[in-house]
């Protein structure tokens, strides 16, 4: 089962196209897909993270701040811990069947796989995660840590990667090296063959171009 998450208003056309493209890639190999949304946020579906997620949504409603990234992070960790399978961010486009990544993880005797973060390979990405079965120890360490969940500060949504994303996940691995024996970490190119600025459609190019100083001929 492959999982994606979309929160808030109607999914933009480009993200809907990516989701449907991923369905087309996955279906011939026997994969099913599920798109999780606000309507799925119940204590039954999210027994560990529900109240923290509600705090995030309430902060959004109260301030207008975009906390959906942080809420989505907590959702994906509990979804994979409870159901296993593949998680993809909605900006990830699959080019081929991801099953070999699961086979390699089985061969290594690990519970889950991650990919080096495309922005900084010192960290593991939260944009593509595979869990062979429910019960990943690393994901359990996150969603069952009451002190961590109670301390998630949604006012700091501008540094979501540090609080609920790649930096946080990597910190858990560094603090308990035994968890490293439960995960495979693949090179960035496995999931992110095109880096920021390497594709003309990438908004990073426009961002860099806009910030570059103009040179006289």
């Amino acid at each position: 089962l492959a999982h994606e998450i979309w929160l808030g208003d109607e999914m933009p056309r480009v993200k809907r196209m990516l989701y449907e493209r991923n369905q087309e890639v996955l279906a011939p190999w026997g994969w099913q897909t599920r798109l999780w949304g606000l309507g799925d946020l119940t204590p039954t579906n999210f027994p560990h993270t529900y109240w923290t997620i509600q705090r995030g949504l309430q902060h959004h409603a109260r301030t207008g701040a975009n906390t959906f990234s942080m809420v989505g992070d907590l959702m994906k960790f509990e979804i994979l811990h409870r159901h296993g399978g593949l998680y993809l961010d909605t900006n990830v486009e699959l080019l081929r069947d991801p099953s070999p990544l699961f086979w390699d993880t089985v061969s290594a005797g690990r519970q889950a796989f991650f990919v080096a973060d495309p922005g900084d390979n010192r960290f593991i990405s939260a944009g593509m995660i595979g869990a062979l079965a429910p019960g990943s120890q690393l994901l359990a360490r996150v969603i069952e840590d009451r002190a961590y969940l109670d301390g998630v500060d949604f006012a700091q949504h501008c540094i979501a990667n540090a609080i609920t994303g790649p930096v946080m996940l990597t910190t858990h691995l560094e603090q308990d090296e035994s968890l490293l024996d439960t995960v495979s970490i693949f090179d960035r190119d496995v999931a992110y063959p095109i880096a920021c600025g390497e594709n003309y459609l990438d908004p990073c190019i426009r961002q860099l171009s806009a910030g570059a100083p103009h040179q006289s001929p």
Side-chain angles (χ1 to χ4, degrees):
L1 181 63
H3 312 271
E4 295 193 27
I5 296 169
W6 182 255
L7 305 173
D9 297 331
E10 183 178 356
M11 180 181 280
R13 181 171 176 269
V14 66
K15 290 186 179 286
R16 172 61 65 177
M17 289 173 61
L18 286 175
Y19 178 70
E20 292 173 353
R21 164 65 178 161
N22 289 340
Q23 286 182 308
E24 292 173 3
V25 172
L26 291 166
W29 304 99
W31 286 87
Q32 296 180 327
T33 54
R34 177 169 179 178
L35 183 63
W36 296 74
L38 290 172
D40 297 304
L41 286 172
T42 66
T44 300
N45 286 337
F46 297 91
H48 294 288
T49 58
Y50 178 77
W51 294 110
T52 304
I53 286 170
Q54 290 302 308
R55 282 201 297 109
L57 295 177
Q58 290 164 8
H59 184 82
H60 167 73
R62 186 171 62 252
T63 67
N66 186 356
T67 59
F68 288 158
S69 174
M70 300 175 77
V71 168
D73 283 337
L74 297 174
M75 289 176 66
K76 75 182 75 167
F77 301 146
E78 183 141 24
I79 287 167
L80 287 178
H81 180 262
R82 298 193 70 222
H83 302 281
L86 176 69
Y87 170 79
L88 300 169
D89 273 352
T90 53
N91 60 355
V92 174
E93 178 182 10
L94 290 175
L95 302 179
R96 61 183 65 88
D97 176 25
S99 298
L101 300 179
F102 286 83
W103 302 337
D104 289 347
T105 305
V106 170
S107 298
R110 308 299 169 92
Q111 299 174 351
F113 72 77
F114 296 80
V115 180
D117 188 77
D120 189 334
N121 63 13
R122 294 175 301 167
F123 306 114
I124 57 175
S125 171
M128 181 180 184
I129 305 172
L132 301 185
S136 160
Q137 287 178 248
L138 173 56
L139 298 177
R141 187 65 57 86
V142 174
I143 67 168
E144 295 176 0
D145 186 342
R146 192 73 257 163
Y148 161 71
L149 294 175
D150 289 345
V152 171
D153 183 359
F154 291 98
Q156 301 296 318
H157 58 91
C158 57
I159 54 170
N161 279 358
I163 299 174
T164 59
V167 177
M168 180 276 295
L169 286 172
T170 305
T171 299
H172 274 80
L173 291 175
E174 292 174 344
Q175 290 177 344
D176 184 351
E177 293 187 359
S178 69
L179 292 174
L180 284 169
D181 295 331
T182 72
V183 300
S184 290
I185 302 175
F186 297 117
D187 291 340
R188 186 210 81 172
D189 289 352
V190 168
Y192 303 102
I194 299 176
C196 179
E198 292 179 357
N199 185 308
Y200 75 96
L201 295 174
D202 194 321
C204 292
I205 282 191
R206 294 193 294 274
Q207 205 170 22
L208 290 171
S209 298
H214 294 288
Q215 296 182 354
S216 299

